[in-house]
Amino acid sequence: VGAYGVISSKGAATSKPSGGNDDTDLFDPQLNTIVNLLEPRLGGIEKAVDPISFVTYQMYAIVRDLIDECVEGTPDVWDFANEVSIIGGIMINRYKGGDFFQPLSFE
């Protein structure tokens, strides 16, 4: 949500570091990485019913791709395992009724 806030409110290319300690601190290298990965995937967000849901699914895809790259880029993983199982999904924080894990993949 912080990365989307940076992109939507200021534009990722023109953002100025805040130097603060909040979710939009561009001195945070993790936030910069997320902004850089997320920004190209936001095409079509204006048609989304809920922009936060749209961003959440885009972030899921980013993380899935990064995990796939990690597994593919680690050939010696197969020296220690015959199979790898990956469960992917989105954690939905709800106000009432407790949080909910929405599974989206099992590979």
Side-chain angles (χ1 to χ4, degrees):
V1 174
Y4 175 61
V6 168
I7 294 167
S8 65
S9 69
K10 300 178 186 176
T14 60
S15 295
K16 299 218 183 326
S18 69
N21 216 5
D22 59 10
D23 281 346
T24 60
D25 181 6
L26 292 181
F27 285 120
D28 179 356
Q30 183 178 23
L31 180 63
N32 284 328
T33 299
I34 295 168
V35 166
N36 292 334
L37 291 170
L38 179 61
E39 188 174 29
R41 293 178 180 248
L42 292 180
I45 194 168
E46 65 280 351
K47 298 176 187 172
V49 174
D50 179 18
I52 296 300
S53 294
F54 183 92
V55 169
T56 300
Y57 280 97
Q58 296 308 309
M59 287 304 304
Y60 167 78
I62 289 169
V63 172
R64 185 195 61 221
D65 292 346
L66 290 171
I67 290 173
D68 288 347
E69 288 174 19
C70 184
V71 171
E72 290 170 5
T74 312
D76 66 343
V77 73
W78 306 116
D79 294 343
F80 305 102
N82 296 328
E83 297 177 325
V84 173
S85 296
I86 300 175
I87 300 171
I90 296 172
M91 181 60 85
I92 301 168
N93 299 323
R94 301 185 305 179
Y95 182 69
K96 290 185 179 179
D99 295 341
F100 178 75
F101 178 72
Q102 174 66 54
L104 297 176
S105 66
F106 179 73
E107 301 175 36

